[in-house]
Amino acid sequence: SVGRRKLQRLLAAGARVRLVDPILTGRADVSAGVEVVGRCFTANDLLCAQLVFVCTDAPEVNQHVAAEAQRAGILCCRADQPAAGDFSLPAVLSRGALTVAVATGGGSPALAIEIRDRLAQQVPDSWGLSLELMAQIRRKWLTKQDGAKYNQQVLRSFWAEQLLPLFEQKKTSEIDRLLIETFGKEFSLEQLHVQLPEGIS
């Protein structure tokens, strides 16, 4: 189950994945784009690999795979003993393009997940939606030729005090009005090429 979670994150990041698992012999329920090797691990499975994730419930297997990866000069993540591997992955919270990562240095992955889940209650989807808009505002502001000075503090205050409350209230027309009043007509949602998803009314 740990391996399946990591598999989905790797695929989402665009990785090409080779999955070695004897239990999967003859089964086709793995995500598209995954090379399935339905047998026990051999050192040849590391050919052309750049990263290795070993996620079995057998410590001796995990140790063997990690040792072979080290011998081949490939970074390895051990799910059972993160400190014994070369790296560990943080617990990740995503809201669109907004990513919040919680890491414990491999000391307690369960605690990282707990903290991530608590943060999820404090970081609404509207933050991710507003990020796309703020990115477009920033790009346009930085490329304007009228001498307007880019000011991080102004944008930070604008986001927290004016824009975010409107996102949380799902008031698209008021968001559009605020953008025009604050920055000018060329900063409307249409001009910024930002289309808010359905459900924002």
Side-chain angles (χ1 to χ4, degrees), residues 39-197:
R39 54 162 171 72
C40 292
F41 168 84
T42 69
N44 286 336
D45 294 323
L46 301 179
L47 292 175
C48 301
Q50 294 180 316
L51 293 175
V52 173
F53 294 84
V54 55
C55 310
T56 81
D57 57 3
E60 64 278 8
V61 173
N62 295 343
Q63 183 176 355
H64 172 61
V65 175
E68 290 292 342
Q70 184 179 30
R71 190 174 294 112
I74 304 170
L75 295 177
C76 179
C77 174
R78 280 189 64 171
D80 63 334
Q81 296 182 34
D86 300 302
F87 68 98
S88 59
L89 295 181
V92 175
L93 168 65
S94 297
R95 295 287 186 262
L98 175 64
T99 301
V100 179
V102 180
T104 60
S108 179
L111 180 58
I113 292 171
E114 175 67 21
I115 295 172
R116 188 266 322 268
D117 291 346
R118 292 192 183 197
L119 286 173
Q121 300 172 24
Q122 307 298 319
V123 181
D125 291 338
S126 57
W127 286 29
L129 293 172
S130 66
L131 173 61
E132 179 186 356
L133 180 55
M134 291 300 295
Q136 292 289 48
I137 292 171
R138 179 177 181 271
R139 276 192 284 272
K140 195 174 187 84
W141 199 348
L142 287 172
T143 57
K144 284 187 67 176
Q145 301 299 316
D146 62 359
K149 186 177 179 180
Y150 174 73
N151 189 311
Q152 282 189 341
Q153 185 59 47
V154 168
L155 282 184
R156 190 179 301 120
S157 297
F158 171 75
W159 176 79
E161 299 172 12
Q162 300 180 68
L163 185 63
L164 193 56
L166 294 179
F167 264 95
E168 292 171 347
Q169 298 169 35
K170 301 181 179 181
K171 296 183 176 179
T172 301
S173 59
E174 293 192 27
I175 291 172
D176 202 37
R177 187 180 308 113
L178 175 64
L179 292 171
I180 294 170
E181 290 176 353
T182 305
F183 303 106
K185 292 182 179 179
E186 68 272 29
F187 283 85
S188 67
L189 289 171
E190 182 179 5
Q191 291 294 317
L192 291 173
H193 305 291
V194 173
Q195 185 173 1
L196 298 181

